[in-house]
């Protein structure tokens, strides 16, 4: 069975560019692992692949829902697994590319995710009780979850209570991992120097503004209203402040770059926790050659293992 190649890393490390080169060389499609690129109309601020890129290489998991929808991690996992199976069924190796760590983990680790849709009314009732009481309630119904959820983590506390009250079963008993049987190569991109990463983020930020980010946000605000949850995310929240007259355009740029740097730091911390990711420095002149060599090695190992009927892990 064809395997899966993952390209991950922090924002502005060149994941999309590298993936396009690999996809063209392998004749493979690209599957997005970005939690905002799944939404239609959120294009510039999410650095979504251009129309030209999408004509040159087939892309999956882009624009699969409206901005008013709520795509859960479980929803994404289902659609990603379906796309992977479809591509592998054609004897191609899909490229799973993005920086949303939880999306990638859901696929690569085969996370068992409770299929419980968000219940706004229940969450509102629980939130009204306050985090302290909710956490105490969780300790009573699911003490195992307490070992993994911090006392101040209201989001995960509410989710755990929500799953319990909807299903009658603790979320800790519904979680776990069931990794896929096909081989997976995880390639991580990072900058040797922090300054190089900051420089790339500044360039990315300016490019977004030049491409019409302000107009994109203004159009989305007019169509869906300023309370749309996605407008509170990176790049959009800062422009919304500018459009409201709260900050200047230059301040919006500076804040976007600052918040992007902070976000990239969190991404690096997340990905560094996975020891199976093989890291490549993006500022190496022969990056593409290095990665291409590793990919060919992986494909050959996969082929040999398949021919011998043995399993292989990477």
């Amino acid at each position: 069975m064809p395997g899966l190649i993952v390209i991950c890393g922090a924002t502005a490390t060149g994941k999309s560019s590298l993936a396009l080169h690999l996809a063209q060389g392998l004749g493979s499609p690209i599957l997005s692992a970005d939690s905002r690129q799944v939404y239609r109309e959120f294009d510039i601020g999410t650095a979504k692949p251009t129309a030209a890129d999408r004509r040159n290489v087939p892309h999956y998991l882009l624009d699969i829902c409206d901005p008013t929808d709520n795509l859960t991690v479980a929803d994404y996992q289902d659609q990603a697994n379906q796309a992977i199976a479809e591509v592998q069924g054609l004897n191609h190796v899909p490229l799973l590319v993005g920086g949303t760590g939880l999306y990638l983990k859901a696929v690569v680790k085969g996370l068992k995710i409770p299929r419980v849709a968000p219940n706004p009314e229940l969450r509102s009732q629980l939130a009204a009780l306050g985090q302290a009481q909710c956490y105490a309630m969780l300790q009573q119904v699911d003490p195992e979850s307490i070992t993994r959820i911090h006392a101040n983590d209201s989001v995960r506390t509410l989710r755990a209570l929500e799953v319990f009250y909807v299903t009658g079963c603790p979320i800790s008993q519904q979680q776990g991992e069931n990794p896929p049987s096909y081989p997976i190569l995880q390639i991580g991109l990072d900058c040797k120097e922090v300054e190089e990463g900051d420089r790339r983020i500044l360039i990315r930020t300016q490019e977004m503004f030049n491409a019409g980010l302000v107009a994109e946000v203004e159009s989305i605000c007019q169509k869906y209203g300023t309370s749309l949850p996605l407008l509170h995310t990176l790049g959009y929240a800062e422009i919304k402040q500018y459009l409201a007259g709260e900050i200047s355009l230059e301040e919006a740029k500076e804040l976007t770059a600052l918040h992007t740097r902070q976000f990239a730091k969190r991404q690096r911390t997340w990905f560094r926790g996975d020891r199976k990711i093989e890291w490549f420095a993006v500022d190496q002149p022969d990056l593409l050659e290095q990665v291409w060599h590793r990919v060919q090695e992986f494909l050959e190992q996969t082929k040999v293992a398949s021919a011998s009927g043995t399993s292989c892990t990477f």
Side-chain angles (χ1 to χ4, degrees), residues 31-43:
L31 283 60
S32 172
D34 186 294
S35 61
R36 297 189 302 170
Q37 290 184 357
V38 298
Y39 294 99
R40 303 181 187 95
E41 301 178 62
F42 280 72
D43 303 326

Side-chain angles (χ1 to χ4, degrees), residues 1 67 69 105 211 218 294:
M1 179 183 293
D69 294 334
K105 189 174 182 179
E218 188 171 24
R294 181 64 187 97

